[in-house]
Amino acid sequence: MKQSHLFAKTIRNISDDVKSVSHKLLLRGGFIFPVSAGIYALSPLGFRVFEKIKNIIRNDFDQFEAQEISMPIVHPARIWKQTGRFQDIGDELWKIKNREGEDFVLAMTHEEIAAYIAETIIKTYKDLPILVNQFQVKIRDELRARGGMLRAKEFLMQDAYSFDKDEKGMDESYEKFYESYGRIFKNLSLEAVPVEASGGVMGQGQSHEFMLISEAGEDKIAFCEQCGYKANIEVLANAKICQKCKIELKETSAVELGQTFKLGLKYSRSLNVKFKDSNGKDNIVYMGSYGIGIGRAMAAVAEIHNDEKGLVWPQALSPFAAHLISLGQNKESDRVYTALLKSGIDVLYDDRLDKTPGEKFTDADLMGMPFRIVISAKTAVNKKAEVKKRNENKVSIVSYAELNNILQ
Ligand SMILES: [Zn+2]
């Protein structure tokens, strides 16, 4: 992609109201555009990071056949009234009316719709278990939307749902997603620790949050230094004492990256999701739900992988494999750019003619691609380029042909 026509610009100065490191860096690097409080657009850079995150999740879910689907964002309120959540959830649930005055809600989550659809699909025990997943926008009318993508009003989420014939089946499905989340966060270069959590508005069953220990987080977790027990402080009663070791628990801030829930029969009972067992008798389906916020994952990566000059993307998440910079050598650089594209290497190509080398380097550091390739008069004469890793100071001079090997 040529930077001269990139639908994004880096920003030098950010308002003092922007507090979190990730929010600052994503704005400065030109990854996100604020549209309204807690509502953001993605530039091609941010969009590419989202796609990388989604594919890491997809590749893992494919291993245990969580089928990708897509559910709507506008839901008839009658389905939410059936589970009671239309009344139970406060102003966070965004309620709207159509022209006939009928109530609708904007998707805060999708348990209701997943159960509603499952009711038409699941007939007998032979249909179970079923695991489905989607990447879909969620809308929550947050009172305090802040911290950029760490707490937004509208955000993309991976949300999966499991349907099983009994509690044992639900536990097994839960285990699959729990294990999968461990692998996914590792692949996202995020050190997420699972902690005991409360089901909140989802239900009363067992739940875990995958937490990133960080000052930027709004959640508080308690942990035992002796046995490693961890829990969201919300689930602890007044006594903040480890039940096992009888010592006081320590506290730290954390960002919730994902959460898993054993929903049991809560939604399937009210929406009548039944199956016939081998004796032809009707039974209620056991459900689970599992979610990761994609924007929050991107922000969490930005929160951790950076330096004083800007973002430092892990290779697996970087919008481009490399940032190619032409210093007055566009003819030569055009050829290298085309050759790299032909080899299947995604590069952002700074072909701008009106920028100084200093401005180009500053932008490259802000955007944070893992490799910077510079073609100048000095290198071009020998058909070579200067290569530098974003997180290292060492510069090497390599031939154009060698670039492929380094970047692949
Ligand atoms: Zn303990």
Side-chain angles (χ1 to χ4, degrees), residues 74-78 81 86 95-105:
V74 179
H75 304 171
R78 64 183 156 80
K81 284 174 182 166
F86 186 78
K95 296 164 178 151
I96 57 170
K97 284 187 194 295
N98 70 1
R99 62 180 79 195
E100 272 92 37
E102 258 179 285
D103 289 323
F104 286 81
V105 306

Side-chain angles (χ1 to χ4, degrees), residues 223-230 241-249:
F223 60 98
C224 172
E225 284 182 312
Q226 209 158 305
C227 70
Y229 170 78
K230 294 179 193 75
I241 303 279
C242 178
Q243 295 303 309
K244 196 173 137 201
C245 312
K246 308 290 174 209
I247 58 168
E248 203 177 326
L249 296 166

Side-chain angles (χ1 to χ4, degrees), residues 4-264:
S4 55
H5 292 85
L6 184 68
F7 197 64
K9 290 267 186 288
T10 56
I11 301 174
R12 294 284 181 268
N13 299 305
I14 298 285
S15 131
D16 288 340
D17 300 342
V18 177
K19 298 285 181 235
S20 84
V21 174
S22 57
H23 194 192
K24 249 178 239 177
L25 291 172
L26 291 169
L27 285 169
R28 292 193 65 199
F31 286 73
I32 58 173
F33 309 105
V35 175
S36 171
I39 300 179
Y40 296 89
L42 297 173
S43 76
L45 301 174
F47 184 78
R48 278 166 173 260
V49 177
F50 266 44
E51 291 304 302
K52 294 273 169 83
I53 296 172
K54 285 161 70 178
N55 283 332
I56 286 172
I57 297 173
R58 274 190 187 117
N59 290 340
D60 201 280
F61 283 5
D62 281 349
Q63 293 174 34
F64 54 97
E65 297 194 8
Q67 307 167 46
E68 193 164 335
I69 61 167
S70 178
M71 292 183 272
I73 306 169
V74 179
H75 304 171
R78 64 183 156 80
I79 302 178
W80 283 72
K81 284 174 182 166
Q82 263 174 278
T83 63
R85 287 210 291 185
F86 186 78
Q87 298 81 13
D88 295 348
I89 299 177
D91 293 336
E92 237 182 280
L93 181 64
W94 201 315
K95 296 164 178 151
I96 57 170
K97 284 187 194 295
N98 70 1
R99 62 180 79 195
E100 272 92 37
E102 258 179 285
D103 289 323
F104 286 81
V105 306
L106 300 180
M108 188 178 141
T109 169
H110 280 82
E111 280 76 16
E112 274 79 0
I113 303 301
Y116 180 79
I117 300 166
E119 193 270 327
T120 67
I121 303 281
I122 297 165
K123 298 293 173 206
T124 80
Y125 67 97
K126 290 178 195 157
D127 295 324
L128 299 169
I130 299 184
L131 312 176
V132 294
N133 177 55
Q134 69 168 350
F135 294 94
Q136 185 58 286
V137 167
K138 303 284 180 276
I139 292 156
R140 293 183 191 176
D141 197 358
E142 294 274 0
L143 192 57
R144 303 162 298 133
R146 60 175 189 212
M149 297 217 127
L150 288 174
R151 183 175 288 279
K153 282 189 186 176
E154 182 190 302
F155 52 95
L156 186 70
M157 232 177 120
Q158 166 277 311
D159 51 317
Y161 303 87
S162 61
F163 304 92
D164 282 279
K165 60 181 166 36
D166 51 25
E167 200 169 350
K168 184 169 163 279
M170 173 181 74
D171 291 350
E172 283 167 10
S173 293
Y174 187 90
E175 196 62 25
K176 280 183 189 163
F177 282 100
Y178 182 93
E179 297 288 328
S180 168
Y181 276 16
R183 293 188 297 267
I184 287 167
F185 289 123
K186 208 176 214 176
N187 290 332
L188 295 177
S189 306
L190 291 170
E191 264 183 64
V193 289
V195 309
E196 218 177 282
S198 107
V201 296
M202 299 303 171
Q204 295 311 307
Q206 193 185 16
S207 176
H208 287 94
E209 286 167 323
F210 288 76
M211 293 288 204
L212 176 77
I213 309 240
S214 162
E215 281 305 313
E218 291 190 344
D219 281 282
K220 287 258 183 296
I221 59 171
F223 60 98
C224 172
E225 284 182 312
Q226 209 158 305
C227 70
Y229 170 78
K230 294 179 193 75
N232 191 311
I233 55 163
E234 284 172 10
V235 302
L236 299 170
N238 297 328
K240 297 201 172 70
I241 303 279
C242 178
Q243 295 303 309
K244 196 173 137 201
C245 312
K246 308 290 174 209
I247 58 168
E248 203 177 326
L249 296 166
K250 291 263 180 330
E251 263 183 44
T252 181
S253 302
V255 176
E256 183 215 314
L257 296 172
Q259 190 162 7
T260 51
F261 304 92
K262 287 185 186 174
L263 302 172

